[in-house]
Amino acid sequence: MNSTSAKRDEQRSRGGFLGALLALDRLLGLLERVVIGGCILAMALLMSAHVVGNLLFSQGIAGTYEITEMLIVVITFVGVSYAARHARHISMSAIYDQLGGRARKALLIVISLGTALLMFYFCFKSFEYVVALHDRGRTSAALHIPFWMVYTALPIGFVLAGIQYVLTALRNMISPGVWRSLTEREGYDDSVLDDAAAERAADTQP
């Protein structure tokens, strides 16, 4: 009874911890969608209004290209976290694909933690860059928008990406199976096994 009760308590604690991670992930996901979606919508509306103004009034909106470039910077670096969340980032998996079971999972945890450290380091360096821009007082040419405000997207994007990789590592530590992100379970192993089983079945048929 004591061992059974202890196992149940452990499962409940893991479930509660995982629930907290998923809640954090949903909150960060909402932030990413609002920022990325808002920037894309603003960019589309601004460019459309600029084109219409040129066609109808021979006068576009001043600073359109400056604002568009700034929005692209925000979308790019916040998008790093979005790609990590959905496991759509580029990965070098030559060694990883050759492994299976615990070795594969262990390597993924090491990769996730190592990438998280790299993201946090980039966050630190980009924060220093933002501070330097603020101290220099650099602004855009047409609208005189301070550059430091725009490039704040760099440390924010990197820290969000780092959090995603930490969540991926934690997910693999507390859950069975291999997870490429907090919510994306790896399906590659299953497809490989299914293909291999299908080939063996075909070979055994007369």
Side-chain angles (χ1 to χ4, degrees):
M1 293 295 294
N2 292 333
S3 61
T4 304
S5 178
K7 288 181 179 179
R8 288 179 180 176
D9 291 340
E10 183 180 357
Q11 290 175 353
R12 288 176 183 173
S13 62
R14 286 187 178 183
F17 182 60
L18 180 58
L21 294 182
L22 291 172
L24 174 62
D25 182 69
R26 285 193 294 269
L27 179 62
L28 295 178
L30 177 62
L31 174 63
E32 292 166 3
R33 289 193 296 272
V34 169
V35 172
I36 295 174
C39 287
I40 292 175
L41 183 60
M43 189 165 54
L45 292 175
L46 182 62
M47 292 298 294
S48 299
H50 180 71
V51 172
V52 171
N54 277 327
L55 291 175
L56 298 182
F57 308 107
S58 299
Q59 179 66 43
I61 300 175
T64 295
Y65 296 109
E66 272 190 2
I67 296 177
T68 301
E69 291 176 358
M70 294 175 183
L71 291 175
I72 289 174
V73 171
V74 176
I75 293 170
T76 299
F77 288 95
V78 176
V80 172
S81 176
Y82 186 85
R85 171 189 309 284
H86 296 284
R88 296 297 181 266
H89 48 80
I90 297 174
S91 59
M92 303 299 179
S93 57
I95 298 176
Y96 175 82
D97 288 342
Q98 304 302 316
L99 301 176
R102 293 183 178 179
R104 187 187 188 95
K105 188 170 187 174
L107 180 58
L108 181 57
I109 292 173
V110 172
I111 291 173
S112 297
L113 292 177
T115 308
L117 289 175
L118 186 63
M119 292 296 105
F120 291 136
Y121 174 74
F122 286 162
C123 173
F124 173 72
K125 299 303 290 186
S126 59
F127 179 77
E128 288 184 337
Y129 179 65
V130 171
V131 171
L133 289 177
H134 178 271
D135 293 341
R136 294 171 186 171
R138 294 184 57 189
T139 61
S140 60
L143 300 178
H144 302 290
I145 298 175
F147 277 129
W148 72 266
M149 297 178 63
V150 179
Y151 284 93
T152 302
L154 275 68
I156 292 176
F158 284 131
V159 76
L160 289 176
I163 291 172
Q164 283 302 315
Y165 284 109
V166 170
L167 293 177
T168 300
L170 291 174
R171 177 69 163 182
N172 282 283
M173 291 177 184
I174 65 176
S175 299
V178 179
W179 296 79
R180 299 297 298 273
S181 70
L182 183 65
T183 57
E184 298 282 337
R185 186 166 186 167
E186 185 177 65
Y188 180 78
D189 281 342
D190 296 336
S191 63
V192 171
L193 292 175
D194 290 342
D195 292 342
E199 290 179 0
R200 288 194 298 269
D203 292 340
T204 56
Q205 290 181 354

